[in-house]
Amino acid sequence: MNGNGPREAGTWRRVPSDASRQAAPSDAAWQADSEWRPAPGEVHLWRASLDLPPERVRELERCLSPDELARAKRFVARSVRDRYTTARAVLRNILAQYVSETPADLHFSYTEYGKPDLVRPATSLRFNVSHSHDLAVYALTAGQPLGVDVEYLHRRAIVDRLKIAHRFFSDREYNALASLPSYRRDHAFLACWTRKEAFVKAIGQGLSCPLDQFDVTVDPNEPAELLATHWDVSDAQRWSMASFDPGPGYIGALAVKTRDVRLSFWQWDHEQFE
Ligand SMILES: CC(C)(COP(=O)(O)OP(=O)(O)OC[C@H]1O[C@@H](n2cnc3c(N)ncnc32)[C@H](O)[C@@H]1OP(=O)(O)O)[C@@H](O)C(=O)NCCC(=O)NCCS
């Protein structure tokens, strides 16, 4: 994956409607005899719309656990509540396909920083989720820690992006951003931001990790790459990163703790997997 950034502008494919439950997303094709399981070095990215009618959201929420329902209730704005509910229900439905379980019967644990893991059924499957505005993106792989981030591109230009970058990015990233012509900085800022967030989500620390303590590539025209962490010189050799196109109006990035990753892109169809 490293060194081939632009290739990650993949097409989001739909699962063929006649695919059997055993069929698996794979770069090659749908293999009727394979399991829903990423091959070694493969990451499956799924995207799902979170813009559903309220009655559909009420159906979906039936698979949520009591703690998820309680969390949903704490969101005051209904639109936010419904998007959280939909994102969580789709996560359960996607994972259920991979581990051959009922969505409501999946159990998650959470790290001290809030990163969810699937603990029941026991599995080596790793996942991470990001949602922004009307879109959720799910990344799944076997065994390796990974993180994903998606951001909605507001039409407005980002105010004070250099000031924000100066405060949060590393010196190397700030200098890279400042060296770009002004008209390219909004996109570069968000490319850098999503790459950094994907990484801090992959290591599980989220924004508790000081963002100025590691460097990623900034220019969207450059391959996404972890250049260095300030705490372990060998990290850059262990991680892969990719920017990808989640769809019009969004930008996304992925970080995985392995080299030579292959990505495949899948569109979640709300009607297909009830
Ligand atoms: C994780 C974090 C970077 C997410 O940023 P964001 O851009 O607002 O949100 P995203 O949509 O990209 O990601 C949210 C998803 O990431 C996952 N997530 C939550 N915490 C995570 C973490 N520490 N690492 C990786 N993934 C995490 C969850 O699946 C979450 O989805 P959910 O809210 O529907 O459960 C940010 O919220 C954070 O730093 N949280 C840590 C807060 C913390 O330390 N909490 C401790 C007590 S729980």
Side-chain angles (χ1 to χ4, degrees), residues 99-155:
V99 297
S100 301
E101 189 51 273
T102 313
D105 289 338
L106 303 180
H107 290 261
F108 298 108
S109 70
Y110 296 87
T111 66
E112 62 174 313
Y113 298 111
K115 184 173 184 174
D117 278 319
L118 184 58
V119 286
R120 220 159 71 223
T123 174
S124 61
L125 196 66
R126 300 286 188 102
F127 70 91
N128 195 233
V129 182
S130 183
H131 38 89
S132 186
H133 195 56
D134 280 344
L135 190 78
V137 174
Y138 306 83
L140 293 92
T141 196
Q144 304 304 326
L146 80 172
V148 66
D149 188 51
V150 61
E151 298 289 338
Y152 179 56
L153 301 168
H154 300 269
R155 276 166 213 268

